[in-house]
Amino acid sequence: MGCRFLEFASEAPEAVRVSTVDVNSVALDTSKYDQVEFFLDVKQMVRSTKPNVVVISSPAPSHLELGRTVRAMEPECALLIEKPLLDTPLDDEDLRWCVENQHLVSVGYNWRHHPQTKRLSALKESESGDIKHLWLHVASDIKRWPGKQYVDPLREFSHELDLVTHLVNGPRLHDVDQRSDGRYDIVGTHSNGTWRVTIAPFSKIDHRWVKVVTRDGSKTTFQWDTSEATLRETYRDEFIELCAHRAGGLDFTSLTCPLMSAVQTTLLIDAIERRLNTKLGRTG
């Protein structure tokens, strides 16, 4: 559980016991979390606490693996698994597990909770017409990011690809290119038009924007609000939403990003990777 979620859990009035697994906990300022128990092993934590809600924000290669471990030990535990689900393509065994264990599993595509995404969702549902053309762009230098163990840019920058699956119906991949500077240009179609995602993972300047055209010809363009306060609220919203579903016995399919919705994003990422490998003559 990352520091943000530790704070959210500690602040929750219904929280009886808050624990985290962190192999570096001996180096943390644990005085900030005087009501938090620290463990070095996931299984030990689950056996000891029998949790109702678990957040998995480990390095990406272990996201789904740890989710499977916790769910096997506590079948009714609600899970918030950070994106991406995997650092490799989703295989048949993982897909089967997702289908059979999707109850109360949310995935951390927190940009779905962004207030500007909610504007776009309302636009999609408005009488003026569905989204016809959607273009999402993100640029940042992954080499300057804090932390370690980042995976490939397609997965680390997959919020934009997730917004495609979230905002349009039936997205299909048409083509993908990768320039010498690492920039991806991904284009596709959907039931009402086209979509495009451009990712510049080694850009020296950070910027993130979206352009939308609806079926009636109306145009919307804006820069995303990337302030710490706004992004913090997106993380808080996804955490509180999952806790409320667990406490209230609500239908898990009404989560903003239920597991099988994130699986659709993962399958899109896998298709992009396969198409690019084919074009570049790469194997794997």
Side-chain angles (χ1 to χ4, degrees), residues 6 29 71 81 93 104 132 140 143 152 166 173 195 206 210 225 233 242 257 266 278:
L6 274 179
D29 178 9
R71 182 51 64 88
I81 304 176
E93 181 184 349
L104 278 178
K132 183 176 183 181
S140 183
K143 293 180 292 186
D152 65 273
H166 181 57
L173 175 65
W195 60 268
D206 292 352
V210 60
D225 176 2
E233 284 306 302
L242 181 62
C257 189
T266 303
T278 298

Side-chain angles (χ1 to χ4, degrees), residues 170-185:
R172 298 174 295 277
L173 175 65
H174 176 68
D175 200 10
V176 55
D177 282 307
Q178 187 175 21
R179 301 193 323 198
S180 59
D181 62 0
R183 171 175 162 144
Y184 296 86
D185 194 352

Side-chain angles (χ1 to χ4, degrees), residues 128 130 132 212-220:
S128 62
D130 292 335
K132 183 176 183 181
V212 171
V213 179
T214 56
R215 282 192 295 181
D216 68 355
S218 300
K219 298 179 180 179
T220 300

Side-chain angles (χ1 to χ4, degrees), residues 56-64 66 83-84 148-151 156:
I56 297 171
S57 55
S58 60
S62 60
H63 283 173
L64 191 61
L66 290 177
K83 67 88 185 168
K148 300 177 181 179
Q149 292 184 274
Y150 292 113
V151 294
E156 292 296 349

Side-chain angles (χ1 to χ4, degrees), residues 22-41:
D22 193 325
V23 296
N24 296 314
S25 60
V26 292
L28 292 177
D29 178 9
T30 56
S31 63
K32 295 198 305 181
Y33 310 108
D34 57 343
Q35 302 300 315
V36 176
E37 298 172 277
F38 286 84
F39 293 86
L40 298 181
D41 177 81

